Amino acid sequence: MTVTPPAEIDDAVVENALLGGRVRLRQPVRGYRAGMDAALLAAAVPARPGERVFEAGCGAGAVLMQIAARRPGVLLAGLEREPAAADLARQNADLNDVADRSTILTGDVADGFRPLGQPLFDWAVSNPPFFDDPDALRAPAPGKRAAWMADDGLKAWTDILLASVKDGGRIVVIHRADRLADLLGLLGEKAGSFVILPIQPFAETPAKRVIVRAIKRGRAPLVLHPALVLHDRSGAKHRAGVEAILAGNADLAI
């Protein structure tokens, strides 16, 4: 992803530029840092002006700020468990002049949607933690644990996404490709009309990520898109079409 060199704000925070400089993002020097997944998720949300988008686990606001830059007039809300990350998300909303259409809530996904006191949304998005079994990987650094480990399992994340959107509302998730069956099963309790986009590092390698879009109460047949291939063997950082998406010059059609 194209970013400017980080500018250090203090000992704990740096500022990066995303979407070709259209987004300024303050994020921790150590711990989880937003990257490709956040950019692709934001590119896959074609919300219209006046629609409301909810993100479960918004971190420092990388996805929300990129959606805001791509979609003027969209109203944004994020839920984040870590107070320091939530505070950074609020700072980033101010920094990008979207505080008037952004709400950052501090709370735990496991507590569900109802305690947030929010009306139902048109869109719900998330990049859930990749693991819910502590034995599945080497213990992550403390600053990255919340981003990598779903303490209450993937179901807590799909439950809040399903609860947060109105009937006909859209849910968009980016996750590990090997959790696709779990995602479809959990979201399928109340949603359908699935659209799946595999994301492959190279054309000849298996997908590492999937983006899944679902519609609450949707009943249309599942659609499996051709894979988005990130790299070729030319030596370029990304394929030209991918670079256009990451720079904010193209959307991710799904």
Side-chain angles (χ1 to χ4, degrees):
M1 181 170 53
T2 303
V3 300
T4 62
E8 188 166 320
I9 305 301
D10 56 36
D11 291 341
V13 176
V14 293
E15 183 179 308
N16 293 104
L18 309 179
L19 293 185
R22 291 162 59 194
V23 170
R24 297 167 63 188
L25 186 76
R26 294 182 177 178
Q27 55 185 339
V29 172
R30 298 176 183 84
Y32 177 77
R33 303 282 297 279
M36 173 77 74
D37 290 352
L40 294 178
L41 179 57
V45 183
R48 298 187 294 267
E51 290 188 327
R52 301 173 65 250
V53 178
F54 171 73
E55 183 184 7
C58 68
V63 174
L64 292 176
M65 294 306 100
Q66 291 180 84
I67 292 174
R70 288 174 169 277
R71 305 292 170 188
V74 167
L75 307 177
L76 308 161
L79 176 66
E80 173 54 43
R81 182 175 70 176
E82 303 295 327
D87 186 59
L88 279 175
R90 296 182 189 103
Q91 291 180 37
N92 285 322
D94 285 331
L95 197 62
N96 290 282
D97 296 323
V98 295
D100 60 336
R101 56 186 177 107
S102 303
T103 301
I104 306 300
L105 305 163
T106 304
D108 197 323
V109 162
D111 293 334
F113 181 70
R114 187 182 298 273
L116 301 179
Q118 294 286 311
L120 295 177
F121 287 81
D122 302 290
W123 295 81
V125 307
S126 189
N127 178 13
F130 284 165
F131 300 94
D132 47 25
D133 178 1
D135 296 326
L137 76 167
R138 186 179 63 187
K144 295 183 179 180
R145 190 186 189 286
W148 283 88
M149 193 65 61
D151 292 328
D152 298 282
L154 185 59
K155 181 172 171 51
W157 293 78
T158 57
D159 281 351
I160 197 170
L161 294 173
L162 288 166
S164 66
V165 292
K166 60 185 68 171
D167 286 354
R170 287 165 168 75
I171 296 165
V172 187
V173 179
I174 187 167
H175 206 48
R176 289 165 36 205
D178 62 0
R179 298 300 302 272
L180 176 59
D182 297 321
L183 275 173
L184 296 180
L186 292 168
L187 290 172
E189 294 177 4
K190 294 183 179 178
S193 304
F194 289 106
V195 179
I196 302 167
L197 176 67
I199 301 170
Q200 297 177 199
F202 294 93
E204 69 275 15
T205 59
K208 296 291 188 182
R209 300 282 187 273
V210 288
I211 294 178
V212 176
R213 191 196 72 195
I215 298 177
K216 189 170 180 179
R217 309 299 180 191
R219 296 184 179 275
L222 182 150
V223 174
L224 178 63
H225 279 295
L228 174 71
V229 179
L230 301 178
H231 313 286
D232 55 29
R233 301 295 181 179
S234 68
K237 189 171 183 180
H238 302 107
R239 296 172 68 239
V242 174
E243 198 61 46
I245 292 168
L246 300 179
N249 298 323
D251 294 329
L252 192 53
I254 180 172

